[in-house]
Short mmCIF file of all heavy atoms in Angstrom, two decimals:
data_model
loop_
_atom_site.label_atom_id
_atom_site.label_comp_id
_atom_site.label_asym_id
_atom_site.label_seq_id
_atom_site.Cartn_x
_atom_site.Cartn_y
_atom_site.Cartn_z
N GLU A 112 -71.22 54.17 -12.76
CA GLU A 112 -70.57 52.87 -12.96
C GLU A 112 -69.28 52.77 -12.16
O GLU A 112 -68.59 53.75 -11.92
CB GLU A 112 -70.24 52.68 -14.45
CG GLU A 112 -71.45 52.61 -15.36
CD GLU A 112 -71.07 52.52 -16.82
OE1 GLU A 112 -69.87 52.60 -17.15
OE2 GLU A 112 -71.99 52.36 -17.65
N GLY A 113 -68.98 51.54 -11.77
CA GLY A 113 -67.69 51.25 -11.15
C GLY A 113 -67.08 50.15 -12.01
O GLY A 113 -67.81 49.33 -12.56
N ASN A 114 -65.76 50.14 -12.15
CA ASN A 114 -65.15 49.13 -13.01
C ASN A 114 -64.05 48.35 -12.30
O ASN A 114 -63.81 48.54 -11.10
CB ASN A 114 -64.61 49.77 -14.30
CG ASN A 114 -63.51 50.80 -14.02
OD1 ASN A 114 -62.86 50.75 -12.98
ND2 ASN A 114 -63.30 51.70 -14.95
N ASP A 115 -63.38 47.49 -13.04
CA ASP A 115 -62.32 46.68 -12.45
C ASP A 115 -61.02 47.45 -12.29
O ASP A 115 -60.03 46.92 -11.78
CB ASP A 115 -62.06 45.44 -13.34
CG ASP A 115 -63.11 44.34 -13.13
OD1 ASP A 115 -63.84 44.41 -12.12
OD2 ASP A 115 -63.19 43.43 -13.97
N ALA A 116 -61.02 48.69 -12.71
CA ALA A 116 -59.80 49.51 -12.62
C ALA A 116 -59.91 50.55 -11.51
O ALA A 116 -59.28 51.60 -11.56
CB ALA A 116 -59.52 50.19 -13.96
N GLN A 118 -62.33 52.54 -10.57
CA GLN A 118 -62.82 53.86 -10.95
C GLN A 118 -64.33 53.92 -11.10
O GLN A 118 -64.95 52.98 -11.57
CB GLN A 118 -62.18 54.27 -12.30
CG GLN A 118 -60.69 54.50 -12.21
CD GLN A 118 -60.12 54.98 -13.52
OE1 GLN A 118 -60.70 54.73 -14.58
NE2 GLN A 118 -59.01 55.68 -13.46
N LYS A 138 -73.72 50.57 -11.02
CA LYS A 138 -73.58 49.39 -11.88
C LYS A 138 -72.10 49.03 -11.91
O LYS A 138 -71.26 49.85 -12.32
CB LYS A 138 -74.09 49.75 -13.28
CG LYS A 138 -74.25 48.59 -14.21
CD LYS A 138 -74.89 49.08 -15.53
CE LYS A 138 -75.04 47.94 -16.52
NZ LYS A 138 -75.62 48.43 -17.80
N HIS A 139 -71.79 47.83 -11.47
CA HIS A 139 -70.39 47.36 -11.53
C HIS A 139 -70.20 46.75 -12.92
O HIS A 139 -70.64 45.63 -13.18
CB HIS A 139 -70.15 46.33 -10.43
CG HIS A 139 -68.70 46.00 -10.20
ND1 HIS A 139 -67.79 45.88 -11.23
CD2 HIS A 139 -68.00 45.77 -9.05
CE1 HIS A 139 -66.59 45.58 -10.72
NE2 HIS A 139 -66.70 45.52 -9.40
N VAL A 140 -69.54 47.48 -13.77
CA VAL A 140 -69.38 47.01 -15.15
C VAL A 140 -68.15 46.11 -15.33
O VAL A 140 -67.84 45.71 -16.46
CB VAL A 140 -69.29 48.21 -16.13
CG1 VAL A 140 -70.58 49.01 -16.11
CG2 VAL A 140 -68.09 49.10 -15.79
N GLY A 141 -67.47 45.83 -14.22
CA GLY A 141 -66.31 44.95 -14.31
C GLY A 141 -66.71 43.49 -14.21
O GLY A 141 -67.91 43.16 -14.28
N GLN A 142 -65.71 42.64 -14.03
CA GLN A 142 -65.97 41.21 -13.95
C GLN A 142 -65.39 40.59 -12.69
O GLN A 142 -65.66 39.43 -12.38
CB GLN A 142 -65.36 40.49 -15.17
CG GLN A 142 -65.96 40.94 -16.50
CD GLN A 142 -65.35 40.22 -17.69
OE1 GLN A 142 -64.17 39.86 -17.64
NE2 GLN A 142 -66.13 40.03 -18.73
N MET A 143 -64.61 41.36 -11.97
CA MET A 143 -63.94 40.81 -10.79
C MET A 143 -64.93 40.57 -9.65
O MET A 143 -65.92 41.28 -9.51
CB MET A 143 -62.80 41.74 -10.36
CG MET A 143 -61.67 41.81 -11.38
SD MET A 143 -60.38 42.98 -10.92
CE MET A 143 -59.65 42.11 -9.54
N PRO A 144 -64.63 39.55 -8.84
CA PRO A 144 -65.53 39.21 -7.73
C PRO A 144 -65.53 40.28 -6.64
O PRO A 144 -64.60 41.08 -6.53
CB PRO A 144 -64.96 37.90 -7.19
CG PRO A 144 -63.53 37.89 -7.63
CD PRO A 144 -63.50 38.62 -8.94
N MET A 148 -62.72 43.15 -5.89
CA MET A 148 -62.98 44.46 -6.49
C MET A 148 -64.40 44.92 -6.18
O MET A 148 -65.13 45.38 -7.04
CB MET A 148 -62.74 44.37 -8.01
CG MET A 148 -62.75 45.67 -8.80
SD MET A 148 -61.60 46.94 -8.27
CE MET A 148 -60.03 46.18 -8.70
N HIS A 150 -67.48 47.10 -4.97
CA HIS A 150 -67.78 48.54 -4.99
C HIS A 150 -69.11 48.82 -4.31
O HIS A 150 -70.04 48.01 -4.37
CB HIS A 150 -67.85 49.08 -6.43
CG HIS A 150 -66.58 48.96 -7.19
ND1 HIS A 150 -65.33 49.20 -6.65
CD2 HIS A 150 -66.35 48.61 -8.49
CE1 HIS A 150 -64.40 49.02 -7.56
NE2 HIS A 150 -64.99 48.65 -8.69
N GLY A 192 -70.22 43.03 -6.61
CA GLY A 192 -69.10 42.58 -7.43
C GLY A 192 -69.38 42.81 -8.91
O GLY A 192 -70.42 43.37 -9.27
N GLY A 193 -68.47 42.40 -9.74
CA GLY A 193 -68.59 42.60 -11.18
C GLY A 193 -69.90 42.08 -11.74
O GLY A 193 -70.34 41.00 -11.36
N GLY A 194 -70.53 42.86 -12.59
CA GLY A 194 -71.76 42.45 -13.24
C GLY A 194 -73.01 42.74 -12.44
O GLY A 194 -74.13 42.56 -12.93
N GLU A 195 -72.85 43.20 -11.21
CA GLU A 195 -74.02 43.44 -10.36
C GLU A 195 -74.42 44.91 -10.35
O GLU A 195 -73.64 45.79 -10.72
CB GLU A 195 -73.74 42.98 -8.93
CG GLU A 195 -73.50 41.47 -8.82
CD GLU A 195 -73.24 41.02 -7.39
OE1 GLU A 195 -72.40 41.65 -6.71
OE2 GLU A 195 -73.87 40.05 -6.97
#
Side-chain angles (χ1 to χ4, degrees):
E112 296 176 355
N114 62 22
D115 281 345
Q118 293 184 336
K138 191 175 178 181
H139 192 321
V140 297
Q142 298 180 329
M143 294 177 70
M148 189 56 68
H150 297 320
E195 296 181 311

